[in-house]
Amino acid sequence: MDDKEMLFNSGILTEEREGAILPPEELWKNKKGGLVVVECPQRIPCNPCATSCPTGAIRPFSDINDTPSVDHSKCTGCTLCVASCPGLACFVIDLTFSDDLALYKLPYEMLPLPVKGEKVLCLDREGKCIAEGTVENITQPRKDRTYVIHVSAPKNLVREFRAIRVVK
Amino acid sequence: MKRLETEILVIGGGAAGLSAAAEAAAAGAKVMILESDLHLGGQLVKQTHKFFGSKDEYAGTRGFKIADILLKEMESCKENIEIHTNTTVTGYYSEDDTFTAMRDEDEFFTIKADRAIVATGAQERLIPFVNNDLPGVYGAGAVQTIMNVYGVVPGKRVLMVGAGNIGLIVSYQLMQAGVEVAAIVEAAPKVGGYWVHAAKVRRMGVPILLRHSIKRALGDEIITGAMITELNERFEPVGEEKKIDCDVICIAVGLTPTTEILSQAGCEMMYVPELCGNVARRDSSMQTSNPKFFTAGDASGIEEASAAMVEGRVAGLSALKSLGYPTEHGRLEEYWGRLQALRSGEAGKRICQGLTCVLTEDWEAVHNG
């Protein structure tokens, strides 16, 4: 077994796979509100991403074990799936935020909650700090204590930045 | 000695037992639930994460909220349900067809029941290593109980042993409680739990060391660390041992079904590795070879809580039916459809293999020939 496979087997996405495909770049770069990035490459019995999606962008499952398949042309970046996914495997990234920054909308269930304007650490899939970001907004779409933190951070981190650490 | 009577005795008030009780009581049967803990809910009350599954199994709802939903469902037929908490079933005597039970530590009574649904859940497995009797070595269930039920953190820095769903979820919950997770060690070359649960703790900076295991705990009176080692393909230690600083070692290496009552009732038992231990043979109605006894949930094979809840429904429905209560046509088939859907993923393959060994045609067909 090679290192890449071991890494994937320990919970790190190493390349695009079924259930973990990035949005098409052309559509993505001009899409206000952003598009969903799903990272759910394993067949497990779970469908709240699809059932919570108000536009059908996450296509309805024919089998509850399907991995998510996304029609990005229908995605509005509403973040309902971000807040609904029990595996915290949905993220919304808006590339139109500014010339060099993107707005990353990430699920967050830790304490303390950051506040608007606060600087937070941007973490990659292994928890390594790769940049500093600014909290632009905090929402709680389903009022169930899964928060969605909107963080502005460099655009070139779209393939890496997946979690934040609040430093207090 | 006090003697109680009921139509359907449900042993265990967790995910499976509550579902069975709700199903049976709603149809008018007299149900009695015996629960050894101080409150109902079983493992559900410790689960702060959102459940998987579909809407039918409350997907997206946190486990402890699901316990509330089931209790509320029971509330609507509460005249049919008698609940005894802090009460342990201590035995079943087939010659008298009587259960014995103990409330707290000094009140004994007996129970006569027309049917019994054994939803006794599971026990944690432990692994041997040097110093595993030091204070600070916990089972994952204990960590969840003290942390999520009583609000007490087990320590400051934890080594988690096992990357099944329990190890991964409890690691995440420890971080939510402000406890550091030093690492998760897993003997297999792959996490056993859902990949997304692993991804969730990985991105918070927790290393998951595959092909690694614990060798010994360090410390004289309390844990001061642990020595871990890499394993080769035959699970033998290789290379140099590595020290992990920690004050808690949490063991999450799997569960095994709790089935003593079923054995006492003479139910045909079978060791099924895929279901993690000794379980009762049953037909698709969850009826065992002893026609008065049904089984559901982890007691019938280790699986996710979502499946336990559906199995509980099946057992409740079947117990009703066997007592002559009218049941809705097609309902059993609907529940089996749900179970099959839940089991058709990657993790379900193993369960299905195990079920092939343990499931029999319906017993009447077997007994008549």
Side-chain angles (χ1 to χ4, degrees):
Chain A
M1 192 181 314
D2 62 19
D3 289 353
K4 207 162 149 189
E5 198 180 345
M6 273 300 246
L7 204 57
F8 177 75
N9 285 351
S10 78
I12 305 284
L13 194 69
T14 48
E15 61 202 332
E16 287 189 78
R17 290 174 178 248
E18 219 179 290
I21 310 262
L22 285 171
E25 225 166 296
E26 274 309 300
L27 187 68
W28 202 3
K29 66 182 184 196
N30 297 316
K31 181 70 177 50
K32 285 219 174 321
L35 291 176
V36 67
V37 173
V38 183
E39 296 190 355
C40 186
Q42 182 188 34
R43 285 175 58 78
I44 55 171
C46 186
N47 67 7
C49 61
T51 57
S52 70
C53 180
T55 65
I58 300 182
R59 295 186 179 97
F61 289 14
S62 56
D63 176 332
I64 191 177
N65 294 279
D66 287 348
T67 54
S69 145
V70 187
D71 177 353
H72 283 99
S73 69
K74 290 187 184 166
C75 178
T76 63
C78 73
T79 73
L80 274 172
C81 59
V82 179
S84 302
C85 170
L88 307 191
C90 300
F91 317 88
V92 166
I93 304 176
D94 182 353
L95 299 177
T96 68
F97 185 74
S98 78
D99 284 346
D100 47 351
L101 299 177
L103 190 65
Y104 297 77
K105 304 175 184 178
L106 310 175
Y108 187 75
E109 295 184 328
M110 295 287 156
L111 290 171
L113 266 183
V115 292
K116 252 190 226 184
E118 189 175 326
K119 299 275 183 215
V120 292
L121 303 181
C122 303
L123 309 179
D124 69 5
R125 297 190 185 90
E126 287 184 70
K128 282 201 292 274
C129 177
I130 46 174
E132 199 179 63
T134 307
V135 175
E136 303 291 345
N137 198 7
I138 297 158
T139 64
Q140 196 188 164
R142 294 195 43 191
K143 305 283 171 267
D144 64 355
R145 306 185 75 177
T146 298
Y147 294 88
V148 178
I149 313 289
H150 299 210
V151 181
S152 60
K155 235 177 221 183
N156 59 4
L157 303 177
V158 282
R159 287 168 180 273
E160 295 160 65
F161 174 26
R162 293 295 178 268
I164 58 160
R165 176 165 296 138
V166 174
V167 195
K168 296 231 168 162
Chain B
M1 199 184 298
K2 191 161 81 174
R3 180 187 176 87
L4 304 176
E5 283 184 13
T6 186
E7 280 186 297
I8 299 177
L9 179 68
V10 177
I11 307 174
L18 292 183
S19 304
E23 186 80 16
K30 293 283 172 211
V31 176
M32 181 187 293
I33 305 175
L34 300 187
E35 166 56 51
S36 60
D37 210 334
L38 299 175
H39 41 248
L40 296 177
Q43 301 304 305
L44 286 175
V45 301
K46 311 178 195 173
Q47 310 308 327
T48 53
H49 65 286
K50 291 178 180 173
F51 271 41
F52 291 70
S54 75
K55 267 198 183 120
D56 289 332
E57 292 88 36
Y58 317 104
T61 306
R62 299 186 193 281
F64 68 96
K65 297 264 186 198
I66 297 176
D68 292 343
I69 294 171
L70 291 174
L71 293 175
K72 205 166 159 202
E73 185 185 341
M74 282 166 40
E75 187 70 18
S76 62
C77 46
K78 63 176 177 204
E79 64 285 358
N80 293 334
I81 305 182
E82 190 177 329
I83 296 166
H84 298 273
T85 53
N86 199 11
T87 302
T88 304
V89 174
T90 53
Y92 171 72
Y93 295 82
S94 50
E95 57 276 28
D96 307 315
D97 186 21
T98 295
F99 295 88
T100 55
M102 180 174 82
R103 193 195 322 274
D104 213 346
E105 284 184 355
D106 45 27
E107 190 192 342
F108 286 91
F109 55 94
T110 63
I111 304 149
K112 197 100 179 155
D114 298 326
R115 297 289 182 271
I117 296 173
V118 180
T120 39
Q123 293 158 46
E124 292 186 280
R125 290 182 178 168
L126 292 173
I127 48 169
F129 54 87
V130 177
N131 278 339
N132 74 354
D133 58 343
L134 279 180
V137 179
Y138 290 82
V143 166
Q144 276 195 316
T145 303
I146 64 165
M147 189 165 71
N148 298 348
V149 180
Y150 298 110
V152 177
V153 291
K156 292 192 177 78
R157 195 173 143 94
V158 177
L159 172 68
M160 181 66 67
V161 182
N165 270 334
I166 295 179
L168 296 171
I169 288 168
V170 174
S171 295
Y172 185 71
Q173 293 175 351
L174 280 160
M175 286 187 276
Q176 287 181 305
V179 180
E180 201 183 334
V181 178
I184 302 174
V185 289
E186 167 60 55
K190 191 178 173 183
V191 297
Y194 292 158
W195 186 91
V196 285
H197 278 316
K200 187 159 114 169
V201 293
R202 287 290 258 141
R203 74 174 80 104
M204 299 303 295
V206 177
I208 297 182
L209 305 172
L210 300 175
R211 287 198 195 286
H212 276 76
S213 188
I214 182 167
K215 283 284 279 187
R216 61 179 180 275
L218 304 173
D220 293 328
E221 288 182 344
I222 53 163
I223 303 280
T224 56
M227 296 306 288
I228 62 167
T229 177
E230 199 174 341
L231 304 173
N232 66 15
E233 272 153 38
R234 292 192 302 278
F235 296 96
E236 299 155 348
V238 284
E240 276 197 17
E241 291 181 9
K242 211 161 69 183
K243 187 181 175 213
I244 300 276
D245 289 320
C246 59
D247 61 350
V248 171
I249 295 168
C250 182
I251 310 295
V253 295
L255 304 170
T256 193
T258 303
T259 55
E260 290 87 345
I261 296 287
L262 292 161
S263 296
Q264 286 178 357
C267 304
E268 259 180 56
M269 304 298 287
M270 194 180 211
Y271 183 81
V272 185
E274 293 89 348
L275 301 177
C276 303
N278 228 10
V279 293
R281 298 193 65 191
R282 80 297 296 252
D283 64 12
S284 62
S285 76
M286 299 308 286
Q287 189 177 37
T288 69
S289 65
N290 181 335
K292 293 184 72 163
F293 281 75
F294 297 77
T295 182
D298 275 355
S300 68
I302 306 302
E303 219 178 329
E304 292 299 308
S306 39
M309 288 187 280
V310 188
E311 272 187 351
R313 301 266 163 198
V314 171
L317 188 74
S318 309
L320 273 175
K321 208 169 165 185
S322 75
L323 287 171
Y325 281 91
T327 56
E328 204 182 307
H329 190 70
R331 196 140 173 175
L332 185 66
E333 290 71 22
E334 183 212 316
Y335 289 148
W336 266 97
R338 274 160 61 179
L339 280 173
Q340 256 156 356
L342 288 172
R343 289 167 178 159
S344 60
E346 207 177 292
K349 274 186 213 140
R350 231 177 104 81
I351 304 287
C352 290
Q353 278 166 14
L355 289 176
T356 317
C357 308
V358 82
L359 261 181
T360 150
E361 295 168 55
D362 66 287
W363 292 106
E364 264 172 59
V366 171
H367 293 144
N368 296 337

